[in-house]
């Protein structure tokens, strides 16, 4: 959420604009400010918000249009900071969270890409809930706000993207479901009484929130700085087909199913129009998806409309375009500085400002900000004891355990047997580094332990050498020490990969290889080690480690990503078999040759006519280092399909009046698909079916396993995916035991695809359901 460098100074303006001395700690404070209608909790949220807006002067209204909203002393309203961060734990990247005070740390969960690798919905929701508890506790302590700008639900489209680590991966379904679970856990929506809902005719808009979550960055945002492009001026050219079935589904789900109370528009333009000026997209969220919350710009994305993209001829026009499109608040000061002038010039009206304020105040009201003293509120008991609790740190540990992925394990090198290991060596610049274990948007962890210090708990005779002075590894001067300790150890662990010097906000990678001389370090150690080396890979983005995958001197490869404050413990448990790994890659690992593909090309589908290989497992046709969903275990699992239909008739879903029209349009022998728009309203639910199967653990170790059900559609229209994930579930199976599982399949959702004009269609003909090596044919007929 870094500001463009030329705009950082604009924040200085606002410091003086709200510098009046304030003694009010919360709105509606008795005895002088508690009698306003907006303080009356028995009224509906809409009624209270309208009352508040009606009492404000125009300058007071404009003062609310920044993330640092101005106070209104005459109404007893203190300033409010909207910008707080909670991507995978509370973080002080934004001004809303501060670790200066009695609370000096918060639980640091694994980076999102690692938690996503668990493919565990329950875990995702529990993380969201735990972070929210700590957020409310810090708010009660005066060190945090109530509105947080997470999760990041952009699809991890290109492996070079510096912020791919913040996302749940490349699959729209996985990203969607992560967003829904995190938001539900984080917001902990509570219904108001039915009496109030009936009285005022309100529903979602009156639901109380524990905290507010924000789905970002809307939309088609996944480039920081590549070539001549930056995120501030990039125009994402996206087809209707890709928009419908890749870029938009996570946001639609986050709003429809997660009921997020905030949406953030991104810096980039989409098909020539800045995202924060795309009225069609922002209103689609409100009108079609039912969004009830506030829309914020990224920082300072309203300014970039004029300053960087040149889309408007003036700052006033940029502000007006954003407000009229549906933006309610600007992160930064651009609206505060230019809205009055925009009104004076007739670019925007006060009524349009009022609309924005109604959305903003409605969210604050749902958070209880105007319900009086927070020390007497619903969450008043939360405090410092609820932060860094043993429960939350255990949850962080469990997330790291479940998200770590075993990629290679030749000859069952792992797990190591404790009583057979007298000495260990751990080598690499990240092996004894605590600063970058969490990835981007990491706050102040409760405890800081490195991979090296955690391994010492298992093997006292563990030696460490960095090999490289840093992750960039520009010099081999440290190789000698690393080789020396490797020669003397029973087993050697080499930690290689990425950190935030290689991938982060405002920084994309140009290479998919290990940085600098890291490969040489790995190979040098493998050449002298007594036994095959264990390679541990850090970082959020994929790396081309083909050399290690094919080298017999490297026996095991483990991806730990950015595992958070408990990551060292989780890795040690997996290495020594105290936990059986079950994570799976939530993104494709591409070879170095993929860097020849322009990062600025937003097309998902492959195009052989121009040598374009496509993107993500759904459409990519080129070579892979590791496939999406790759992940090994210390045990073995077998599947058996118990029941699944072989034929589905779709005629009943189409109104009789439309049958003849469809056949005339297509020709009776050429009807290849049905458009969802042609189906009876609510008819899809009647066509849902179950796929039941059993999972057997045929190995000697208990373990969790991620079941991944794919669909392969008939190629009856252009742009059909190679395959697509339609169901996933993490199950625990004891050794020599079997469990049954079921996926509920909705053909309208799971067996459909967007056509070239962005309309959802169900291909007719032979679909194939894929589960591991099993295949099941299903014919969809009309």
């Amino acid at each position: 959420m870094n500001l463009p460098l030329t705009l950082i100074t604009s924040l200085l303006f606002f410091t003086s604009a709200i510098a009046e001395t304030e003694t009010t700690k919360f709105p509606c404070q008795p005895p002088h400010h508690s009698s306003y209608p907006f303080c009356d909790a028995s009224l509906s949220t809409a009624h209270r918000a309208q009352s508040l807006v009606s009492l404000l002067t125009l300058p007071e209204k404009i003062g609310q249009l920044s993330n640092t909203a101005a106070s209104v002393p005459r109404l007893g309203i203190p300033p409010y900071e909207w910008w707080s961060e909670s991507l995978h734990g509370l973080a002080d990247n934004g001004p809303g969270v501060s670790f200066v005070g009695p609370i000096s740390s918060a639980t640091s969960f694994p980076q999102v890409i690692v938690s996503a690798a668990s493919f565990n919905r329950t875990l995702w929701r529990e993380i969201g809930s735990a972070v929210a508890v700590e957020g409310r506790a810090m708010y009660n302590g005066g060190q945090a706000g109530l509105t947080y700008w997470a999760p990041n639900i952009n699809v991890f489209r290109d492996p070079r993207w510096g912020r791919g680590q913040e996302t749940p991966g490349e699959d729209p379904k996985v990203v969607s479901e992560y967003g829904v679970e995190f938001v539900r856990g984080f917001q902990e929506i509570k219904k108001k009484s039915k009496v109030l809902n009936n009285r005022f005719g309100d529903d979602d808009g009156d639901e109380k929130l524990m905290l507010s979550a924000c789905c970002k960055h809307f939309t088609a945002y996944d480039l920081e700085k590549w070539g001549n492009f930056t995120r501030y001026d990039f125009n994402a050219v996206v087809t209707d087909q890709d928009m419908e079935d890749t870029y938009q589904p996570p946001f639609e789900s986050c709003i429809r199913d997660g009921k997020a109370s905030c949406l953030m528009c991104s810096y980039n333009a989409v098909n020539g129009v800045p995202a924060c000026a795309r009225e069609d997209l922002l209103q689609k969220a409100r009108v079609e998806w039912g969004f009830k919350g506030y829309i914020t710009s990224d920082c300072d994305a309203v300014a970039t409309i004029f300053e960087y993209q040149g889309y408007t001829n003036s700052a006033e026009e940029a502000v007006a375009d954003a407000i009229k499109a549906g933006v309610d608040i600007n992160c930064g000061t651009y609206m505060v500085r230019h809205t009055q002038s925009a009104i004076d010039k007739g670019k925007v009206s006060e009524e349009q400002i009022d609309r924005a304020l109604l959305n903003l105040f409605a969210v604050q009201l749902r958070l209880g900000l105007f319900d009086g003293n927070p020390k007497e509120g619903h969450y008043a008991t939360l405090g410092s004891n609820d932060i860094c609790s043993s429960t939350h740190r255990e949850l962080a540990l469990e997330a790291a355990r479940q998200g770590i992925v075993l990629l290679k394990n030749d000859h069952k090198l792992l797990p190591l047997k404790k009583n057979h290991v007298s000495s260990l060596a751990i080598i690499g610049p990240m092996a004894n580094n605590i600063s970058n274990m969490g990835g981007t948007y990491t706050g102040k962890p409760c405890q800081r332990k490195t991979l090296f210090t955690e391994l010492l708990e298992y093997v006292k005779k563990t030696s460490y050498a960095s090999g490289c002075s840093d992750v960039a590894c520009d010099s081999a001067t440290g190789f000698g020490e690393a080789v020396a300790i490797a020669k003397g150890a029973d087993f050697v662990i080499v930690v290689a990969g990425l950190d935030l010097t290689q991938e982060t906000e405002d920084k994309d990678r140009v290479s998919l290889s290990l940085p600098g001389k890291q490969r040489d370090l790995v190979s040098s150690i493998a050449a002298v080690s007594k036994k095959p080396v264990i390679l541990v890979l850090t970082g959020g983005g994929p790396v081309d480690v083909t050399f290690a995958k094919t080298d017999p001197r490297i026996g095991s490869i483990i991806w730990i990503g950015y595992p958070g404050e408990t990551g060292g413990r989780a890795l040690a448990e997996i290495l020594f078999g105290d936990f059986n790994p079950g994570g799976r890659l939530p993104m494709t690992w591409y070879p170095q040759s993929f860097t020849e593909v322009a990062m600025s090309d937003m097309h998902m589908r492959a195009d052989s006519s121009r040598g374009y290989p496509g993107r993500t497992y759904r459409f990519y046709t080129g070579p892979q280092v590791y496939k999406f969903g790759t992940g090994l275990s210390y045990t073995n699992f077998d599947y058996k399909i118990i029941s699944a239909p072989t034929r589905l008739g779709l005629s009943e879903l189409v109104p009789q009046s439309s049958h003849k029209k469809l056949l005339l349009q297509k020709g009776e022998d050429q009807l290849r698909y049905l458009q969802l728009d042609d189906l009876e309203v609510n008819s899809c639910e009647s066509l849902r079916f179950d796929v039941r199967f059993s999972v057997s653990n045929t190995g000697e170790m208990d373990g969790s396993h991620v079941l991944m059900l794919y669909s392969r559609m008939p190629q009856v229209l252009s742009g059909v995916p190679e395959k697509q994930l339609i169901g996933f579930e993490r199950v625990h199976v004891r050794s020599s035991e079997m469990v049954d599982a079921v996926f509920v399949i909705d053909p309208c959702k799971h067996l459909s695809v967007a056509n070239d004009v962005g309309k959802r269609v169900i291909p007719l003909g032979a679909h194939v359901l894929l589960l591991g090596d099993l295949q099941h044919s299903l014919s969809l007929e009309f």
Side-chain angles (χ1 to χ4, degrees):
M1 205 84 55
N2 296 333
L3 292 173
L5 291 176
T6 59
L7 299 172
I8 292 175
T9 54
S10 69
L11 286 173
L12 298 176
F13 166 88
F14 205 63
T15 303
S16 60
I18 61 167
E20 65 255 57
T21 302
E22 234 350 295
T23 57
T24 305
K25 299 299 183 183
F26 57 88
C28 300
Q29 185 170 331
H32 303 296
H33 301 295
S34 58
S35 59
Y36 298 111
F38 62 79
C39 297
D40 186 349
S42 71
L43 300 177
S44 71
T45 297
H47 189 127
R48 298 171 73 186
Q50 289 166 356
S51 169
L52 177 48
V53 172
S54 71
L55 295 173
L56 298 177
T57 65
L58 180 56
E60 289 169 342
K61 292 175 181 178
I62 293 173
Q64 300 300 307
L65 300 180
S66 166
N67 61 285
T68 306
S71 63
V72 186
R74 65 185 185 85
L75 298 180
I77 300 174
Y80 180 76
E81 178 55 65
W82 288 87
W83 178 8
S84 294
E85 296 286 359
S86 60
L87 183 67
H88 54 107
L90 301 180
D92 53 356
N93 298 71
V97 173
S98 172
F99 291 109
V100 178
I103 300 170
S104 58
S105 60
T107 308
S108 178
F109 291 89
Q111 181 60 287
V112 175
I113 195 73
V114 179
S115 294
S118 71
F119 286 85
N120 187 336
R121 295 178 184 84
T122 302
L123 178 69
W124 299 339
R125 183 181 286 211
E126 288 180 353
I127 291 172
S129 179
V131 176
V133 166
E134 298 199 357
R136 262 288 177 170
M138 283 196 73
Y139 169 76
N140 289 345
Q143 293 181 232
L146 294 172
T147 46
Y148 291 80
W149 292 349
N152 181 339
I153 54 169
N154 295 113
V155 169
F156 197 169
R157 172 188 64 94
D158 190 289
R160 292 162 287 188
W161 185 28
R163 300 184 74 178
Q165 58 179 289
E166 300 175 19
T167 77
E170 71 180 35
D171 180 74
K173 177 179 175 62
V174 176
V175 176
S176 297
E177 298 207 21
Y178 177 91
V180 168
E181 295 300 336
F182 182 89
V183 169
R184 284 178 173 174
F186 191 80
Q187 293 193 152
E188 196 186 63
I189 290 175
K190 294 184 180 296
K191 291 279 190 181
K192 286 189 73 173
S193 71
K194 291 182 179 179
V195 174
L196 279 177
N197 285 341
N198 292 336
R199 177 182 170 189
F200 296 106
D202 202 2
D203 45 25
D204 291 352
D206 250 5
E207 291 173 330
K208 289 293 187 180
L209 302 169
M210 182 176 187
L211 293 176
S212 170
C214 194
C215 302
K216 65 183 186 184
H217 311 80
F218 192 63
T219 188
Y221 167 74
D222 49 22
L223 180 149
E224 301 299 303
K225 190 179 293 182
W226 181 85
N228 294 324
F229 301 100
T230 74
R231 60 181 180 164
Y232 308 119
D233 57 21
F234 178 58
N235 176 32
V237 179
V238 182
T239 67
D240 292 338
Q241 191 173 35
D242 289 339
M243 186 69 82
E244 172 62 28
D245 67 9
T246 296
Y247 294 106
Q248 293 294 68
F251 290 97
E252 182 175 0
S253 295
C254 202
I255 290 168
R256 282 190 188 274
D257 303 324
K259 299 190 182 299
S261 53
C262 170
L263 181 66
M264 177 184 285
C265 56
S266 53
Y267 290 115
N268 57 287
V270 181
N271 295 332
V273 181
C276 291
R278 284 290 302 254
E279 183 177 5
D280 57 338
L281 294 179
L282 297 182
Q283 292 310 308
K284 181 174 186 175
R286 287 202 184 276
V287 177
E288 293 186 28
W289 301 346
F291 176 59
K292 295 186 178 180
Y294 74 99
I295 297 175
T296 180
S297 76
D298 206 336
C299 307
D300 199 345
V302 175
T304 61
I305 294 173
F306 171 58
E307 307 284 352
Y308 276 70
Q309 298 173 16
Y311 180 74
T312 61
N313 295 318
S314 67
E316 289 84 359
E317 288 180 359
V319 167
D321 281 3
I323 291 174
K324 289 188 285 189
V327 176
D328 300 313
I329 193 172
N330 170 54
C331 176
T333 64
Y334 213 67
M335 282 186 177
V336 171
R337 290 184 285 127
H338 298 293
T339 297
Q340 182 65 62
S341 179
I343 292 174
D344 294 342
K345 293 179 179 180
K347 304 292 185 183
V348 70
S349 68
E350 184 173 356
E351 288 72 25
Q352 289 165 324
I353 306 301
D354 290 349
R355 183 268 308 154
L357 297 186
L358 288 173
N359 293 328
L360 293 169
F361 288 134
V363 170
Q364 289 183 329
L365 285 160
R366 292 171 64 192
L367 288 162
L369 196 63
F370 293 87
D371 291 348
N373 192 341
K375 293 182 179 180
E376 299 171 359
H378 184 74
Y379 301 103
T381 59
L382 295 177
S384 58
N385 290 338
D386 299 290
I387 299 173
C388 291
S389 66
S390 59
T391 301
H392 289 175
R393 296 199 71 252
E394 180 64 28
L395 180 62
L397 175 59
E398 186 62 24
R401 289 167 176 153
Q402 292 194 25
I404 289 175
V405 181
L406 179 63
L407 296 171
K408 177 182 180 180
N409 197 28
D410 286 356
H411 309 296
K412 296 184 178 181
L413 176 62
L414 297 177
L416 302 176
K417 295 178 175 59
K418 299 185 191 74
N419 55 351
H420 291 173
V421 180
S422 61
S423 63
L424 277 177
I426 183 166
I427 294 165
M430 287 284 282
N432 198 32
N433 184 309
I434 59 175
S435 60
N436 282 333
M437 291 293 286
T440 57
Y441 289 85
T442 296
K444 302 294 187 291
C446 309
Q447 295 183 20
R448 294 174 178 266
K449 290 189 176 182
T450 69
L451 305 180
F452 170 52
T453 55
E454 290 289 4
L455 283 174
L456 283 170
E457 298 293 323
Y458 278 78
V459 179
K460 296 302 180 185
K461 191 178 179 182
T462 297
S463 303
Y464 157 73
S466 65
C468 304
S469 61
D470 55 25
V471 169
C473 198
D474 294 326
S475 170
T477 55
F479 284 20
E481 179 189 7
V483 167
I485 71 163
K487 287 180 177 179
D490 286 351
F491 290 90
V492 180
I493 301 160
V494 181
V495 183
L498 310 173
D499 71 355
L500 298 186
T501 66
Q502 306 298 309
E503 54 171 5
T504 189
E505 187 167 5
D506 249 344
K507 183 180 180 66
D508 294 319
R509 287 190 289 158
V510 296
S511 171
L512 296 180
S513 299
L514 289 174
K517 299 180 181 297
Q518 283 195 31
R519 175 175 175 172
D520 295 337
L521 174 65
V522 174
S523 298
S524 297
I525 300 305
V528 301
S529 179
K530 297 176 184 176
K531 297 183 175 66
V533 162
I534 300 161
L535 177 61
V536 173
L537 297 172
T538 63
V543 285
D544 184 348
V545 289
T546 303
F547 78 95
K549 181 180 179 182
T550 57
D551 189 341
R553 300 173 304 173
I554 299 171
S556 296
I557 303 176
I558 301 176
W559 175 72
I560 64 170
Y562 296 106
E565 66 175 77
T566 58
R569 170 75 180 276
L571 174 63
E573 289 182 356
I574 287 172
L575 290 174
F576 286 92
D578 288 339
F579 188 86
N580 190 350
R584 294 199 184 217
L585 292 180
M587 68 294 201
T588 301
W589 282 31
Y590 302 82
Q592 170 65 16
S593 59
F594 189 83
T595 58
E596 299 170 9
V597 175
M599 191 174 177
S600 54
D601 193 326
M602 301 294 288
H603 289 84
M604 299 301 298
R605 270 86 178 166
D607 184 350
S608 58
S609 68
R610 60 187 181 95
Y612 184 69
R615 296 178 180 278
T616 77
Y617 80 92
R618 296 163 65 227
F619 304 109
Y620 179 61
T621 56
Q624 304 170 61
V625 179
Y626 285 111
K627 296 180 179 180
F628 172 89
T630 296
L632 304 176
S633 170
Y634 294 152
T635 190
N636 299 305
F637 297 93
D638 288 339
Y639 308 136
K640 180 180 179 181
I641 294 178
I642 298 173
S643 65
T646 56
R647 176 189 174 277
L648 284 178
L650 304 183
S651 300
E652 62 201 50
L653 301 187
V654 180
Q656 284 294 325
S657 59
S658 299
H659 280 218
K660 187 174 182 180
K661 180 185 73 171
L662 282 173
L663 295 178
L664 286 174
Q665 285 177 350
K666 307 291 183 181
E668 188 166 355
D669 60 342
Q670 296 180 14
L671 188 60
R672 296 173 298 161
Y673 55 82
L674 293 178
Q675 287 197 27
L676 295 192
D677 290 347
D678 292 332
L679 306 185
E680 291 269 18
V681 178
N682 300 324
S683 62
C684 291
E685 293 183 10
S686 65
L687 210 63
R688 290 177 181 168
F689 63 90
D690 292 347
V691 177
R692 298 183 180 275
F693 50 90
S694 62
V695 187
S696 301
N697 182 343
T698 59
E700 300 177 353
M701 191 174 184
D702 298 351
S704 292
H705 185 62
V706 177
L707 303 163
M708 306 182 82
L709 181 66
Y710 294 91
S711 160
R712 182 179 295 135
M713 301 177 188
Q715 302 286 322
V716 297
L717 72 160
S718 62
V720 171
E722 300 290 314
K723 64 178 181 178
Q724 69 180 24
L725 187 67
I726 62 174
F728 62 89
E729 194 72 39
R730 189 176 181 114
V731 296
H732 188 78
V733 191
R734 293 179 178 177
S735 174
S736 302
E737 292 190 3
M738 179 181 70
V739 298
D740 291 345
V742 60
F743 286 129
V744 180
I745 305 303
D746 180 341
C748 295
K749 289 182 179 179
H750 302 133
L751 303 183
S752 67
V753 66
N755 64 14
D756 56 6
V757 294
K759 296 291 185 180
R760 280 275 175 180
V761 302
I762 302 178
L764 299 176
H767 292 244
V768 179
L769 304 183
L770 308 166
L771 182 68
D773 294 330
L774 295 180
Q775 297 189 14
H776 177 83
S777 294
L778 170 66
S779 178
L780 300 189
E781 303 171 2
F782 180 76

